[in-house]
Structures are given as C-alpha cells and as structure tokens.
Amino acid sequence: KTESMGSVLVLDGAQRSALAITRSLGRAGIDVITAESAPTHLCSQSRYSRRSLIYPNPEADCAAFIDCIRDLTTRYAIDLIIPVTDITTNALVEHRAAFAGSTRLVVPDLETYERLTDKYALIQAARELGVPAPRSVLVDPTAGGALPAPPSWPVVLKPTRSRYRLQNRWLSTAVKIVETPEALAETVAACSWFATHPYMMQECIAGEGQGIFALYDRGEAVCFFAHRRIREKPPWGGVSVKSESVEPDPTLLAHARRILDRVGWHGVAMIEYKVSADGTPYIMEVNTRFWGSLQLAIDSGVDFPLLVYRIAMGQPTQVLPKSRTGNRLRWFLGDVDSLYISLKDRRYDAAGKLRALLDFLKPDFAATRHEVFRWDDPRPAWFELKQYFSIAAY
C-alpha cells in the first residue's frame, strides 16, 4: 500500500472512468472499494476492486443515497470518496459538511461549484474575462410573458443545468436545436424542463469540439491534459470512442486557467469548447467531474486519480513529467456502435460507409490501447461484452 490508511470508495462503478480510477489506484497499491446502485457492474469485475458495494439510486432518492454513503464510510474506514457522475458529484458537494471529519472529498464548496455548473453564469463570467462565448439569452419560464427573440437561427435551447433537483429526486434535461419559430414553440411545449426551470436560447456554433482537462488544488493548478477525438458515437458528435493525446492548445489552456483561477477551483474539471471554422474557441460548458476518456490521460503519464488521492491525503503532487502525445485510446464496443450507425444512416453514401468501415478495420496496434480490455485485468471486458450481447438480444 502507498500509505497506512483505510480505503478509497469509488462511486458510479458502471462508468468506464470509474474503472480507470479503480485500476490507477489499485495498481498504486491503494485499497479500492467500488460501489453502484446495481449489485454487479463494470468495476465490480476488476481485480483492483477489493470489495463491491451497493447504494440507493441517488437519482431517485438522494437523501437515502447520502445516508448510505455516510454509513459506508464509517463501516469500511473510507478515507476518500471519489464520485464520477454529475448526480453523485452534485449530491456530495451539497452535503459536503456531513462528511467533514470522517472522510475526504476533493470537491469545491457549493458556491464555487454552482459558479461553473450554472451554464448561464459561466457564459457571463467568460464574457467578463474576455473568453469567447456564444451569444445567449436567458429565459425564465416562471416570470411569464412572451419568449424573447433568439440571438440567431438555428437556435440552441440549453437548460442552465444538466440536471435539476426536484425535492429528493433529479430531473435530467437535454439540449435541443431548433431552426424555425414553429419548432421553437413546439419544443418548449413538449419538454417539461423548459416550462419549470431557466434555460438559454443560445447561438448555434458550428465547429470541432475540443477540451482541456484540469486538476486544481485549492485554487492552484496542478496539471492539464488534452486530446483530440478521432471517432465518436454517434459519428457526427457525441461520446469519444477513439481519441489521441495531444499538446494542449495554448489559447484554450489560457482561457481554461482564467475561468478556473477566477473561482479558486478545487478538484477535477473538463472545459469544453467548440472551435469555429475561423479558429475562434467558444467556451460551451465546464464538467466538474471525471471525463469518459480518463484512461487516455493515465496512459499518457498524467495520472489524475493518483494525484487526486495525493491531494486528499496531503501528500506532495510533485513536478509532473510532460504528458506523452500520440497515444491513442479505443473503446471497442462504442466504436462498433459508431460503425453500425454509420452503415445504417442514410446521410452517408456508399463511399462514406466504405470509408467508415476501412477506418474501423485499419490496424493501429502500436499506438492504440483498449479502454476496457487490459491484459492484467481482463474480467471487466468480458463483463461488458456479455452485457452488450444481452442488450442486443433483448
């Protein structure tokens, strides 16, 4: 073990990023306990998970979730809790005081957290700092009156938060893009969250999605990382299924530092941009949790989970070596789905479908590692494959 201590509790064990955390800390000799709202999950299959626990679904009953996590931290002498999804992160930030003195959390206070997770507040802050942001109009449906004029067409309807708290439950929202006034009225009427919570009508920025990944320790930057997406699911934009580590863009990095320095950030964050055709990087949002392609950063020498652990335990984070560029990560089953979508979609002609197939089949063994399958820990991959075919058969 790295230290004489209790254990690290990794939440959201069904997530691939949680598996990356489990493997990172487990390989460092740290006791890892994983947990989910289901009895078996991706992390429960890992050799690096010493024990697998179950907790109430926080989306359905947040109070029961918090009570359970507090009980688990006492029962298993948990020294650090690491949440992975928006809901568990939000819940722990809100109830941070309940864990003071019993375990550690590398998350900010609620006020700081909300300054970045409120998407409209983030856009306003970006403009004050000279960081390019899409033109945005705030709509408060509880105020009544007619809808304001959109900044442009098509327009993006974006809730100010990805999820809203409704008493003891969570409401998940979605971003919508509409092209006409008629479609705008229909979409607002069809989606319940547009009737009950604030949202933005935002300028639609066309371009390539890019991101900066960061870790801060009480307002001080520890490290940054960047990658480019080679393929996504769906192919026209979504979850990364194949990515490559790259040198952080100096402009994006400078903008990320302005945003995170301003609030005195603590913990991990992913700053998302859309880079337009003229090269302007527009900030879109900040995800205040670990990201899907976390394993790529670890493979490239920036071990975010281990650094979070060191911050929590008061250990020096040391001067980090420069991250290795050119490493690639592939989520194989996600890549299969992406190929299937491309072959079925009528927007792709025969040449486009052939190109997608050849890209999928192109050998790339030297630079690419698989996200879920690892030779020293193969069981999660077999578990994922079994689940994949079970869902396909259903």
Side-chain angles (χ1 to χ4, degrees):
K1 293 174 64 173
T2 301
E3 287 287 317
S4 176
M5 56 168 284
S7 301
V8 176
L9 177 62
V10 179
L11 306 182
D12 308 294
Q15 303 297 314
R16 288 173 287 113
S17 48
L19 178 62
I21 296 167
T22 300
R23 286 170 166 171
S24 162
L25 300 182
R27 288 178 180 131
I30 300 165
D31 282 340
V32 180
I33 295 176
T34 58
E36 243 295 354
S37 57
T40 57
H41 46 82
L42 197 63
C43 288
S44 69
Q45 308 302 303
S46 174
R47 62 178 291 194
Y48 297 107
S49 174
R50 181 167 62 85
R51 185 188 300 268
S52 177
L53 305 175
I54 187 169
Y55 51 70
N57 184 351
E59 189 167 355
D61 192 340
C62 188
F65 165 76
I66 290 296
D67 288 343
C68 179
I69 298 300
R70 289 180 63 187
D71 177 65
L72 295 179
T73 58
T74 301
R75 188 185 313 172
Y76 296 100
I78 301 298
D79 277 6
L80 170 64
I81 307 172
I82 301 182
V84 172
T85 62
D86 287 327
I87 289 179
T88 57
T89 302
N90 197 317
L92 291 176
V93 169
E94 281 194 24
H95 296 88
R96 190 179 180 213
F99 297 92
S102 61
T103 190
R104 297 169 176 84
L105 291 164
V106 182
V107 296
D109 59 73
L110 182 59
E111 181 182 355
T112 302
Y113 179 81
E114 291 188 337
R115 291 175 70 182
L116 294 190
T117 54
D118 183 320
K119 294 180 175 59
Y120 185 70
L122 173 67
I123 295 297
Q124 297 299 100
R127 291 190 175 280
E128 292 174 12
L129 292 169
V131 175
R135 290 176 293 156
S136 305
V137 177
L138 182 65
V139 180
D140 182 358
T142 64
L147 287 175
S152 61
W153 295 101
V155 63
V156 179
L157 303 181
K158 181 181 289 188
T160 56
R161 297 184 185 280
S162 300
R163 290 172 175 82
Y164 290 113
R165 182 79 170 271
L166 293 176
Q167 296 179 337
N168 197 32
R169 298 172 62 88
W170 290 92
L171 169 68
S172 296
T173 66
V175 174
K176 302 290 184 180
I177 300 176
V178 296
E179 299 186 357
T180 65
E182 294 76 21
L184 171 61
E186 290 173 4
T187 303
V188 169
C191 301
S192 62
W193 53 86
F194 290 137
T196 55
H197 293 84
Y199 63 93
M200 291 182 287
M201 291 196 294
Q202 192 173 79
E203 173 188 11
C204 186
I205 304 294
E208 180 184 43
Q210 296 187 28
I212 295 289
F213 311 90
L215 173 62
Y216 269 62
D217 182 4
R218 298 171 184 85
E220 296 295 326
V222 175
C223 61
F224 296 93
F225 180 75
H227 73 244
R228 72 179 184 93
R229 296 183 173 193
I230 298 173
R231 287 197 291 272
E232 296 174 295
K233 168 190 166 182
W236 48 84
V239 178
S240 173
V241 297
K242 189 172 184 182
S243 55
E244 180 180 37
S245 58
V246 297
E247 194 72 32
D249 181 275
T251 301
L252 271 63
L253 181 58
H255 290 172
R257 295 194 75 137
R258 283 187 212 169
I259 294 291
L260 298 174
D261 288 352
R262 176 190 174 105
V263 300
W265 189 247
H266 184 56
V268 296
M270 174 188 178
I271 301 87
E272 290 193 20
Y273 301 88
K274 188 68 71 72
V275 181
S276 64
D278 65 3
T280 303
Y282 292 87
I283 189 166
M284 305 306 289
E285 61 182 274
V286 177
N287 292 316
T288 55
R289 52 169 171 76
F290 280 109
W291 45 94
S293 51
L294 173 62
Q295 186 64 58
L296 178 62
I298 299 170
D299 291 344
S300 302
V302 187
D303 197 332
F304 282 94
L306 187 56
L307 290 169
V308 166
Y309 167 79
R310 288 175 177 165
I311 289 171
M313 303 306 295
Q315 300 176 4
T317 51
Q318 305 170 348
V319 177
L320 292 171
K322 189 175 181 181
S323 64
R324 296 185 293 273
T325 60
N327 285 350
R328 293 183 175 183
L329 185 74
R330 187 184 195 187
W331 174 30
F332 181 74
L333 293 182
D335 207 6
V336 170
D337 284 342
S338 180
L339 174 64
Y340 178 73
I341 293 169
S342 297
L343 296 179
K344 278 191 63 179
D345 199 290
R346 294 181 178 179
R347 286 175 286 185
Y348 291 83
D349 58 16
K353 292 179 180 181
L354 178 61
R355 187 162 52 249
L357 178 61
L358 292 177
D359 286 343
F360 178 87
L361 296 174
K362 182 179 179 181
D364 190 17
F365 303 119
T368 302
R369 300 188 70 184
H370 285 278
E371 183 173 14
V372 179
F373 179 78
R374 296 290 159 120
W375 286 108
D376 69 329
D377 189 29
R379 285 183 60 197
W382 293 116
F383 175 81
E384 184 191 44
L385 188 64
K386 182 180 178 181
Q387 276 197 320
Y388 184 86
F389 282 115
S390 296
I391 294 170
Y394 181 79

